[in-house]
Amino acid sequence: MPLLKLPAEEKPIDDATRSFAEKVFASEVKDEGGRHEISPFDVDEICPISHHEMREHLFQLEALSTPTGGRRKKRFFGQKTISLSVPQSETSSTKLSHIDEYISSSPTYQTVPDFQRVQITGDYSSGVTVEDFEMVCKGLYRALCIREKYMQKSFQRFPKTPSQYLRNIEGEAWVANESFYPVFTPPMKKREDPFRTDNLPENLGYHLKMKDGVVYIYPNEEAASKEEPKPLPYPNLDTFLDDMNFLLALIARGPVKTYTHRRLKFLSSKFQVHQMLNEMDELKELKSNPHRDFYNCRKVDTHIHAAACMNQKHLLRFIQKSYQLDADRVVYSTKEKNLTLKEIFAKLKMHPYDLTVDSLDVHAGRQTFQRFDKFNDKYNPVGASELRDIYLKTDNYINGEYFATIIKEVGADLVDAKYQHTELRLSIYGRSPDEWSKLSTWFVRNHIYCPNMTWIIQVPRIYDVFRSKNFLPHFGKMLENIFMPVFEATINPQAHPDLSVFLKHITGFDSVDDESKHSGHMFSSKSPKPQEWTMEKNPSYTYYAYYMYANITVLNSLRKERGMNTFLFRPHCGEAGALTHLMTAFMTADNISHGLNLKKEPLMEEYAIAAQVFKLSTCDMCEVARNSVLQCGISHEEKAKFLGDNYLEEGPTGNDIRKTNVAQIRMAYRYETWCYELNLIAEGIKSGE
């Protein structure tokens, strides 16, 4: 008999919980402008909200509630000394593999050497009462179900191991389902033209209409007039808000804060003990691994703006070289007249050969940490917006030629380096519908292709700027300008050849802006629909994220039907915003790709600095490099080549040390610890049955 049957989408949230969640949201919004930095460990162990109010108004889930009594407590405490240091295959109907099986049945390179494990015995509820522990486990179970649901709907990634435990909790057998996986464009073959357009799919003839901020797809105009869209996974706003309110209520609970805070502190300490006990054994593994070291294992810079992909010395050399060759070329236009490169520098009262790296001032240093405004200023060489327009823009008087040349030079360096890859970000603002056409034309005209580069589209959250200047009538128009051209190119690629080619090289969408800016808006059922958002005020982070996620979900479903690549949602999140930003990303984002530029952009330099600042070992850096490949949007074929054929498996079986240079001891530790935590949730739920 199933232990628990609670599909998250079928459980409505009660009015009391919704009301309390809105209070929590309002509190977060109120404090949003004063937040600077958030650490998962900076949580008070004593909840500021009384236990009485929480028990009365929060988390009233009938299907999850269980009778209390001495018999349940007795059974629970009878189990409290069980050992969960390795995955317990006998507790799961899906038979999670035991570490011993890896050692006995796997090739030598997958063998996990003996190492010292940290084993905890005794009461493993981390200092909370039995009732609180059971409540926390049920809440975390539902939270995982919510994330799994939204990832699968949008063809984004949710790991296998948590899915196995969730099905085990529900009393169901887990079955791998690759139909939910995202689709990325495979690598180009030798002599294959990456800009080929003679093989584009035919026109489907579908009709498109944006309704309440989401693009709906109809077989024809007649179906559109009858409001009969194609059966695609259109997100339901009410369900999303219910799930969001549940998570808000969950993270506000005192027992949840206490348990998770202590658990995170324990896991941090546990890893330190693991390193102290096994660092030399991990190093021994790496030393015995022939040919491979940190410098020749694959690594991907998953957060880099195209306008910052070159280091400052590269940009300086290019400016000086362009002046030497094109001093008399007209490169800039003003209302009064057109200006040559020589006239631009004369206007700025400088000569390019007098410039230095310091005077160029485009590197982000300690002055820019947590200062998004100063960080943005670094994109203006010598503080001059004219030079930014000439050298770092795709749409300018010279049609972005200099910018394209710089990017291709960076690409050539990456190919020479062989082991470094980047995901560059280009902006679509949503100000006008022809932005996609201009950007894709720039991409194709300049033949900007590099096997070591993929692309992400970032959407700045600056609707308020456009609305204040009357560029947009409402927020819905901004969404329409961002997504409608992509839907049109998906339905009829032959009518949009450049954009169709460009979309093959895009792996995801990003949402960017200064997170610490105060929005003052609480996303709820009372929020105006996008076409009704005519005020100059900017929508909240959650409002932006939901409508981006909703459109990406429908778009991915359509593109997967056509055999095209799909897109991930990978927003900036968690640097300086409210906790609600992280909660929204938990629901909607495949992953968060965020970081600030250090003194140089090249990936090797960032690893070197990180190794010094955070005292990282070789195994640590190789693990970060492996994770960057897993996280990024390069194709399945490339990941299999870089990480090993079994990279989709989790734990030591998914690691090929010959390619990743990550010790199997480290992989075993990560996997066992992960399973231990998931097993805690399962045991906490079972104990209340």
Side-chain angles (χ1 to χ4, degrees):
M1 183 174 179
L3 295 173
L4 189 66
K5 285 291 290 184
L6 183 64
E9 63 268 27
E10 295 180 8
K11 179 61 183 176
I13 196 166
D14 59 87
D15 292 337
T17 304
R18 183 182 297 108
S19 175
F20 191 85
E22 290 179 354
K23 291 180 183 178
V24 175
F25 206 148
S27 175
E28 288 293 336
V29 169
K30 180 180 178 182
D31 296 339
E32 190 175 11
R35 293 179 183 270
H36 299 291
E37 186 176 6
I38 294 174
S39 166
F41 303 113
D42 296 337
V43 181
D44 292 333
E45 294 193 20
I46 301 176
C47 178
I49 305 169
S50 70
H51 285 269
H52 175 74
E53 183 180 357
M54 304 301 291
R55 294 186 186 282
E56 286 292 325
H57 300 293
L58 196 60
F59 209 79
Q60 299 183 12
L61 305 174
E62 291 82 7
L64 287 178
S65 62
T66 55
T68 58
R71 182 170 57 182
R72 181 187 62 179
K73 292 184 180 180
K74 183 178 179 181
R75 181 170 56 166
F76 180 82
F77 281 112
Q79 296 177 355
K80 67 180 184 177
T81 58
I82 68 171
S83 171
L84 293 175
S85 59
V86 296
Q88 301 294 300
S89 58
E90 64 271 14
T91 65
S92 170
S93 60
T94 58
K95 282 208 77 174
L96 293 177
S97 299
H98 193 284
I99 291 298
D100 289 343
E101 295 178 14
Y102 301 144
I103 300 176
S104 61
S105 62
S106 300
T108 303
Y109 70 88
Q110 288 185 324
T111 298
V112 180
D114 290 332
F115 67 99
Q116 299 183 73
R117 290 176 169 86
V118 181
Q119 183 171 333
I120 306 299
T121 59
D123 188 356
Y124 54 82
S125 58
S126 288
V128 297
T129 65
V130 174
E131 292 83 359
D132 285 347
F133 176 64
E134 292 171 358
M135 180 276 296
V136 170
C137 290
K138 291 168 185 175
L140 293 176
Y141 157 74
R142 185 174 172 185
L144 287 171
C145 286
I146 288 173
R147 174 160 175 80
E148 181 184 45
K149 174 181 67 174
Y150 285 101
M151 292 302 98
Q152 290 182 350
K153 279 187 175 181
S154 57
F155 298 105
Q156 299 189 91
R157 297 170 291 197
F158 188 82
K160 294 179 180 179
T161 302
S163 285
Q164 290 176 310
Y165 276 95
L166 294 179
R167 298 298 81 76
N168 176 242
I169 290 171
E170 294 160 3
E172 296 180 356
W174 176 80
V175 179
N177 190 346
E178 296 185 2
S179 64
F180 294 123
Y181 289 4
V183 179
F184 303 114
T185 302
M188 296 291 142
K189 299 176 182 177
K190 281 189 176 181
R191 299 185 181 86
E192 183 179 359
D193 182 8
F195 305 99
R196 180 182 177 186
T197 58
D198 61 349
N199 61 342
L200 295 176
E202 71 284 353
N203 181 15
L204 292 176
Y206 292 163
H207 184 77
L208 299 173
K209 184 166 65 172
M210 177 165 277
K211 185 170 64 174
D212 293 341
V214 180
V215 177
Y216 280 71
I217 304 168
Y218 304 85
N220 48 55
E221 289 193 26
E222 182 182 355
S225 64
K226 295 179 181 178
E227 289 298 334
E228 296 175 351
K230 284 180 61 63
L232 297 174
Y234 305 100
N236 183 288
L237 178 58
D238 291 334
T239 301
F240 178 86
L241 291 173
D242 276 352
D243 291 336
M244 182 185 76
N245 287 332
F246 169 82
L247 291 175
L248 274 169
L250 180 67
I251 63 178
R253 296 211 70 180
V256 174
K257 287 188 174 185
T258 299
Y259 177 79
T260 53
H261 171 59
R262 294 185 177 183
R263 203 75 210 156
L264 287 170
K265 289 182 71 174
F266 162 72
L267 289 173
S268 176
S269 301
K270 182 179 179 181
F271 180 65
Q272 292 177 11
V273 174
H274 167 80
Q275 284 189 308
M276 180 177 66
L277 295 175
N278 298 293
E279 186 174 15
M280 298 309 296
D281 289 328
E282 289 179 344
L283 182 60
K284 182 180 178 182
E285 272 195 86
L286 302 188
K287 286 183 176 179
S288 62
N289 187 29
H291 173 67
R292 194 69 60 186
D293 56 31
F294 168 72
Y295 291 93
N296 63 10
C297 62
R298 301 283 175 164
K299 51 195 76 70
V300 183
D301 192 328
T302 58
H303 180 279
I304 180 170
H305 299 268
C309 68
M310 74 301 293
N311 63 47
Q312 48 197 337
K313 187 66 176 177
H314 184 168
L315 179 60
L316 177 60
R317 284 199 306 264
F318 186 87
I319 291 174
Q320 293 171 341
K321 180 181 177 181
S322 64
Y323 187 86
Q324 180 183 0
L325 299 176
D326 293 339
D328 297 322
R329 179 183 180 181
V330 175
V331 295
Y332 193 78
S333 179
T334 65
K335 292 181 179 179
E336 294 79 21
K337 65 172 186 175
N338 296 333
L339 299 174
T340 65
L341 203 54
K342 181 184 290 185
E343 290 170 333
I344 284 290
F345 278 99
K347 177 185 175 184
L348 297 174
K349 298 180 180 179
M350 64 178 69
H351 193 282
Y353 288 99
D354 294 331
L355 292 176
T356 65
V357 164
D358 292 330
S359 62
L360 198 64
D361 194 25
V362 292
H363 62 276
R366 60 186 179 186
Q367 296 85 1
T368 59
F369 184 68
Q370 299 292 338
R371 288 296 302 274
F372 199 88
D373 52 344
K374 290 187 176 182
F375 179 70
N376 277 346
D377 290 341
K378 294 296 183 179
Y379 287 97
N380 291 326
V382 205
S385 59
E386 294 90 344
L387 296 185
R388 178 182 182 181
D389 183 274
I390 294 169
Y391 291 102
L392 301 177
K393 289 286 188 180
T394 62
D395 184 19
N396 54 24
Y397 188 84
I398 57 175
N399 297 316
E401 180 186 324
Y402 284 165
F403 190 30
T405 304
I406 293 174
I407 289 176
K408 287 193 287 186
E409 290 179 358
V410 171
D413 291 342
L414 289 174
V415 171
D416 289 341
K418 185 179 179 180
Y419 298 101
Q420 300 175 36
H421 300 249
T422 61
E423 289 184 309
L424 300 185
R425 281 162 166 74
L426 293 170
S427 294
I428 289 291
Y429 298 92
R431 175 182 169 180
S432 66
D434 62 353
E435 291 176 13
W436 278 105
S437 175
K438 291 180 178 179
L439 186 60
S440 58
T441 299
W442 167 81
F443 183 85
V444 173
R445 179 197 296 125
N446 291 286
H447 285 73
I448 305 174
Y449 171 76
C450 171
N452 291 48
M453 282 182 179
T454 52
W455 301 83
I456 288 181
I457 296 298
Q458 63 179 23
V459 180
R461 298 190 298 275
I462 53 175
Y463 161 80
D464 53 337
V465 176
F466 297 146
R467 183 69 189 91
S468 65
K469 296 180 180 179
N470 266 336
F471 293 151
L472 294 171
H474 50 73
F475 185 73
K477 189 64 178 176
M478 182 177 181
L479 290 171
E480 191 175 317
N481 293 338
I482 293 168
F483 289 104
M484 196 65 82
V486 184
F487 276 91
E488 291 171 351
T490 300
I491 290 172
N492 188 6
Q494 295 178 8
H496 309 274
D498 287 351
L499 181 52
S500 298
V501 168
F502 183 40
L503 291 174
K504 291 181 180 180
H505 303 284
I506 293 173
T507 63
F509 287 83
D510 189 357
S511 176
V512 300
D513 196 14
D514 182 358
E515 275 194 78
S516 66
K517 287 199 305 189
H518 183 61
S519 66
H521 169 253
M522 182 183 72
F523 188 32
S524 69
S525 58
K526 300 175 183 177
S527 298
K529 296 292 190 290
Q531 68 273 15
E532 299 167 351
W533 194 289
T534 57
M535 64 192 97
E536 293 186 5
K537 181 179 176 182
N538 210 28
S540 66
Y541 181 98
T542 305
Y543 195 94
Y544 270 99
Y546 170 75
Y547 285 105
M548 288 194 67
Y549 167 84
N551 283 287
I552 291 170
T553 296
V554 180
L555 178 62
N556 281 349
S557 184
L558 176 65
R559 291 182 67 83
K560 194 149 191 175
E561 279 187 7
R562 303 218 69 184
M564 298 175 175
N565 61 299
T566 59
F567 307 115
L568 304 175
F569 182 43
R570 298 168 57 183
H572 280 56
C573 183
E575 183 191 22
L579 291 173
T580 50
H581 297 193
L582 291 167
M583 178 206 65
T584 304
F586 174 81
M587 295 177 67
T588 61
D590 179 88
N591 62 70
I592 298 170
S593 300
H594 200 292
L596 291 177
N597 294 333
L598 298 177
K599 291 188 176 180
K600 284 190 175 183
E601 277 297 341
L603 193 55
M604 294 300 296
E605 297 295 331
E606 294 204 11
Y607 275 93
I609 294 173
Q612 295 176 13
V613 173
F614 300 110
K615 307 292 189 294
L616 301 182
S617 67
T618 300
C619 189
D620 294 334
M621 292 196 292
C622 290
E623 187 179 18
V624 171
R626 179 181 184 272
N627 288 339
S628 75
V629 178
L630 288 173
Q631 181 188 36
C632 76
I634 62 176
S635 68
H636 168 72
E637 294 86 348
E638 290 170 295
K639 288 184 180 181
K641 178 182 176 183
F642 300 157
L643 302 179
D645 293 335
N646 296 328
Y647 82 93
L648 286 172
E649 299 298 321
E650 289 155 4
T653 52
N655 180 54
D656 188 338
I657 189 174
R658 300 170 301 179
K659 294 178 179 291
T660 66
N661 203 45
V662 179
Q664 289 293 74
I665 290 176
R666 176 67 59 87
M667 295 299 297
Y669 167 80
R670 296 290 191 202
Y671 185 63
E672 292 173 22
T673 302
W674 193 15
C675 291
Y676 186 103
E677 298 303 309
L678 291 167
N679 212 14
L680 275 180
I681 296 175
E683 291 296 326
I685 292 176
K686 289 177 184 177
S687 66
E689 295 299 315

